[in-house]
Amino acid sequence: MGATIIPFIIFTVLWGGVGIGLPFFVPKGPNRGIIQVILMLTGVCCWLFWLCCYVAQMNPLIGPKLDENTVLIMAKQWAHPIKTE
Amino acid sequence: MSRPLSFGHWPKGDFEGSVFDKFADMGSLFRSAEMTLCQLFLQSEAAYACVSELGELGLVQFRDLNPDVNAFQRKFVNEVRRCDEMERKLRYLEKEIKKDGIPMLDTGENPEAPQPREMIDLEATFEKLENELREVNQNAEALKRNFLELTELKQILRKTQVFFDEHEGGVNPTESMTRALISDDSIARQSTLGPVQLGFPEKQYDPEEYFPCFVAGVILRERIPAFERMLWRACRGNVFLRQAEIETPLEDPSSGDQVYKSVFIIFFQGDQLKTRVKKICEGFRATLYPCPEAPADRREMAMGVMTRIEDLNTVLGQTQDHRHRVLVAAAKNIKNWFVKVRKIKAIYHTLNLFNLDVTQKCLIAECWVPVLDLENIQLALRRGTERSGSSVPPILNRMDTLEDPPTYNHTNKFTCGFQTLIDSYGIAAYREMNPAPYTIITFPFLFAVMFGDLGHGFLMALFGAWMVLKEKPLAAKKSDNEIWNIFFGGRYIILLMGLFSMYTGIIYNDVFAKSLNIFGSSWYIRNTSIHLQNGDYTLDPKVTRNYEGYPYPIGMDPVWQLASNKIIFQNSFKMKISIILGIIHMLFGVTMSLFNHMYFKNKLSIIGEFIPQVIFLVFLFFYMVLLMFIKWFVYFANIEDKDFQVGTRCAPSILITFINMVLNKNTPFDKKCGSANMFDGQLGLQKFLFVCAVICIPWMLITKPIVIQRNRKKTAQFAVNHQQMQSATENGDAEQPMHNNTAQPPAMGGGGHGMEEEPMGEIWIHQGIHTIEYVLGSVSHTASYLRLWALSLAHSQLSEVLWNMVLSKGLKVEGWAGGVVLYATFAFWAALTVSILVLMEGLSAFLHTLRLHWVEFQSKFYIGTGYGFEPFSFEIILDSASQSKEEV
């Protein structure tokens, strides 16, 4: 189980806020109902989509297969220099 | 996130959108507005004003009360005809205005329909204008004809002068002739020259004889060769024709075209030839002009012609000025007049739908109106009555009816695009759940799942935002380009699709086929000497020196974009997410049907349809979704033995597990893993779920028909009992048969309410079809959602190919040439990106999304057998009139 709680909290609060919080603050008017539905669905869809992507990568069963150049460039650019043993 | 933009716009537009919105409970897009049939009694003298007010309001749909009466026998045929006539005159005026290229003033103002008595004034105005214009045109034409004749005469005098001069110069005629011919005309004419030249020298005329008789005239240039040949043949070469082109084109007064003409002069001898030549000229529509022989006469005539031409020019200029003045004056008002006339016509058309009552003092109308707008309609009617000065108020009565009312959804500029998507499948039945409000989000979202790319989404959102921001000026242009109108009509859809594509693009981590590494990849290479296999190196999720232990926080890890096994990894993710989204979408659709059943108080359908449907879907398919999540959570790559059972090698395939669950087979597994189960008691649970789902099928199939059958028997029994009791009490009563007759209809009426008119056999068949459709549909629809994966895969692959094959080629060229090559490749890449990836792929994703909504989502609850509300509204009438005009 490899997950950190921070992105989960951030995203849940963000989309939860859009989907659950904001609908309460929609001004009274003829379209209140529609706006609420829009906000709720937006929250649900975006949160679910993010969640699936996060959870799918949480416990990777396979790793990326890279060619030599990519490996070297990656090590250099992403600042993890290869130590020769 | 640019979310505020997407919402920032429309509530404002809404409030200014319709005055009547505030009266209506506008949550009502969820269901169509409640309608009622009304009867309307209008005083004859107030009818016109009242209908005019209703037309401005646009909330009433009138029914034709005399469908049997043909259009020519209705009461207000005359008025309609007068309007037609006025429209014709206006169209004539408009045509003339357009001919002169005068701009028509469109102030966009909307004049009220004029009073009937004003119609006469309008008619008189138009009549006067039309007559004036026609007269001016006639005069102008006559003048132009006159002008043409004089110009032609002028040309004749000028051209023939050359010839006469040469003759009087006393040169050898043949020679001069040849010289003249060669000098004044091109080589092209030499072919026709031949016979003339050949024919002429044979006859040896004295100069005096040679000049005996001639006619001069003007003929269309293209007729010359035929004319010449004809003359030659008919007169056996005894005439001599000379001609010269008039360089400037002349205007044909009747058609206004520019035509090229030639001057000709024919010499001949004798009266016989003269008549012949004249006849031929007539036949070729050449115009002959008198041309005096004496040079002095000719000169005098030329002078006269010149002065007359000058005079004519002044008169012609004045005529044109006058015409221009008339048209400019008319152009200021013409739009206004059109609106007025169309309104009058629409009113009389509507009045033709009404019935006259017996006393002829009152018109009776029947109309559908939204219940919530009744007050507005009353107000409008009162205004109309006041305006007409009538003392008797109109009466609006609600009527009871068994007919299905029309479906009326209050839309605004934001929601109407989405409503159109739904309506093009089928208009909702009256008061049925309307899918449009949910479509507003689910449509762009499912689209974006297929179209996910931050860059492409940004382009699309930019286009949508531009159309939304420039809405007013763009709408005012009223383009008749169909494709543009489709885009413009769907501007909010495009905007939302773009925004959602940007979001899914972030999650897929795709920007024009490249990834962003904002938060730092979770995969890295450190503290190792790497062992390459065939030049490749696979990062190992098991070891902390390759994998950090927790995923990239937002979306796909950027490392996958570089990996050669990217597709394997992404396919697994995208397929799962398609199924997850699909099943949730379908469950949502089934839930909608619950709201429908509840609203229509159809308890039987809830028990006999909704509950088994939900159980079937949840127990089989939603269970599969849960398995996916369990797999994601439980299984992980590890090196320790105790965790082997949840390791890479023991992770079961969800699809195989699911198939074996349905087929009731055991899944083969590795011995070391111990079992194929993901959790304890999985097999037992699966068996239970499967049995429950199977039970749901007969449940869906028979519950409803059996209950209906039983109810029918009961009511039949009841009716029989009731009748027996009645006949027992009133036995011997003479009135009894009549009583029975009157008692019958209500029973029938009550029966007509439900499905009881349908024979039982049909109900069984319907239910059978419905059940089979649902059961098979659940399987095929679930599979159908895999298109989300397929299109998204295709899109990302296509953009990757485009990057690798085009732009990266340009980026790899070194030196100054690289700049030039890059310039060209970027142009090519950008053009292909917009045309193929955004436009074509966008269109294809749009169509697939549409299908997912129409078929997979709406088939769960939507009937769509209603008919639309078509209110009598000036706005709609004027819009369609101006549109059809532009098409013509």
Side-chain angles (χ1 to χ4, degrees), chain A residues 1-2 11 15 30-31 35 38 42 46 49-50 53 55 57-60 63-66 68 71 78 80 82-83, chain B residues 7 10 14 26 441 503 517 524-525 528 532 535-537 539 547 549 551 553 555 557 563-565 577 632-633 635:
Chain A
M1 285 288 277
F11 266 81
W15 291 122
N31 293 302
I35 299 172
I38 287 172
T42 309
C46 291
F49 200 67
W50 168 82
C53 192
V55 170
Q57 295 181 94
M58 210 162 64
N59 296 314
K65 190 177 178 185
L66 307 166
E68 195 183 348
V71 168
W78 293 354
H80 304 293
I82 298 172
K83 284 177 198 159
Chain B
F7 300 119
W10 58 283
D14 249 353
M26 268 290 288
I441 292 303
Y503 181 71
N517 184 15
Y524 35 70
I525 297 152
T528 178
L532 296 173
D536 282 343
Y537 179 72
L539 299 184
Y547 180 59
D557 198 290
S564 57
N565 57 352
I577 207 172
W632 278 337
F633 275 97
Y635 290 87

Side-chain angles (χ1 to χ4, degrees), chain B residues 77 123 430 469:
Chain B
V77 187
E123 267 179 320
Y430 177 63
L469 290 174

Side-chain angles (χ1 to χ4, degrees), chain B residues 444-460:
Chain B
F445 177 66
L446 288 185
F447 171 88
V449 171
M450 297 190 240
F451 196 74
D453 186 306
L454 183 59
H456 301 152
F458 179 69
L459 292 181
M460 186 173 271

Side-chain angles (χ1 to χ4, degrees), chain A:
Chain A
M1 285 288 277
T4 47
I5 199 76
I6 295 164
F8 182 78
I9 288 176
I10 290 175
F11 266 81
T12 308
V13 167
L14 170 68
W15 291 122
V18 170
I20 301 167
L22 281 188
F24 287 105
F25 300 106
V26 177
K28 282 232 167 60
N31 293 302
R32 189 180 154 98
I34 301 282
I35 299 172
Q36 284 173 334
V37 162
I38 287 172
L39 289 173
M40 285 192 254
L41 281 174
T42 309
V44 169
C45 290
C46 291
W47 181 76
L48 185 68
F49 200 67
W50 168 82
L51 182 78
C52 285
C53 192
Y54 193 77
V55 170
Q57 295 181 94
M58 210 162 64
N59 296 314
L61 295 173
I62 57 166
K65 190 177 178 185
L66 307 166
D67 64 27
E68 195 183 348
N69 286 338
T70 317
V71 168
L72 294 174
I73 294 170
M74 205 171 115
K76 191 178 168 198
Q77 291 295 323
W78 293 354
H80 304 293
I82 298 172
K83 284 177 198 159
T84 43
E85 284 174 9

Side-chain angles (χ1 to χ4, degrees), chain B residues 10-68:
Chain B
W10 58 283
K12 188 178 65 189
D14 249 353
F15 294 132
E16 69 195 19
S18 160
V19 189
F20 315 108
D21 285 0
K22 59 173 177 270
F23 293 101
D25 162 27
M26 268 290 288
S28 58
L29 189 64
F30 295 104
R31 291 178 192 283
S32 61
E34 214 172 315
M35 307 297 278
T36 177
L37 189 65
C38 282
Q39 206 170 26
L40 185 61
F41 294 89
L42 296 168
Q43 288 297 304
S44 292
E45 64 268 23
Y48 182 91
C50 286
V51 170
S52 152
E53 286 293 336
L54 291 178
E56 300 287 351
L57 195 62
L59 283 170
V60 179
Q61 176 180 354
F62 290 103
R63 304 207 305 176
D64 192 355
L65 294 183
N66 354 289
D68 309 328

Side-chain angles (χ1 to χ4, degrees), chain B residues 35-167:
Chain B
M35 307 297 278
T36 177
L37 189 65
C38 282
Q39 206 170 26
L40 185 61
F41 294 89
L42 296 168
Q43 288 297 304
S44 292
E45 64 268 23
Y48 182 91
C50 286
V51 170
S52 152
E53 286 293 336
L54 291 178
E56 300 287 351
L57 195 62
L59 283 170
V60 179
Q61 176 180 354
F62 290 103
R63 304 207 305 176
D64 192 355
L65 294 183
N66 354 289
D68 309 328
V69 185
N70 77 26
F72 301 105
Q73 289 166 341
R74 301 204 172 193
K75 191 162 185 269
F76 298 99
V77 187
N78 247 336
E79 283 81 357
V80 172
R81 280 213 188 125
R82 277 164 63 195
C83 291
D84 275 334
E85 179 64 16
M86 281 196 280
E87 249 190 305
R88 185 194 60 71
K89 282 176 186 149
L90 284 176
R91 274 198 300 273
Y92 171 74
L93 271 177
E94 195 188 34
K95 201 182 82 195
E96 294 293 319
I97 290 172
K98 277 197 182 145
K99 215 190 211 164
D100 275 23
I102 300 167
M104 275 175 280
L105 195 68
D106 192 359
T107 48
E109 67 176 318
N110 188 7
E112 285 204 343
Q115 293 291 318
R117 58 176 179 275
E118 280 176 47
M119 201 163 131
I120 300 166
D121 294 346
L122 281 179
E123 267 179 320
T125 319
F126 301 157
E127 179 85 35
K128 194 177 132 239
L129 267 173
E130 196 204 8
N131 284 344
E132 199 169 344
L133 212 59
R134 280 196 195 282
E135 206 173 314
V136 170
N137 279 352
Q138 253 168 20
N139 284 344
E141 200 185 315
L143 286 172
K144 274 185 188 160
R145 182 161 290 131
N146 215 333
F147 180 74
L148 178 78
E149 280 170 11
L150 285 173
T151 328
E152 285 178 354
L153 186 54
K154 186 178 89 185
Q155 293 287 347
I156 286 179
L157 290 172
R158 192 176 292 165
K159 298 277 173 195
T160 48
Q161 190 65 29
V162 183
F163 181 80
F164 290 119
D165 282 353
E166 279 158 4
H167 173 71

Side-chain angles (χ1 to χ4, degrees), chain B residues 283-298:
Chain B
F284 278 84
R285 298 191 189 231
T287 16
L288 299 179
Y289 292 95
C291 181
E293 274 177 55
D297 290 352
R298 279 207 301 275

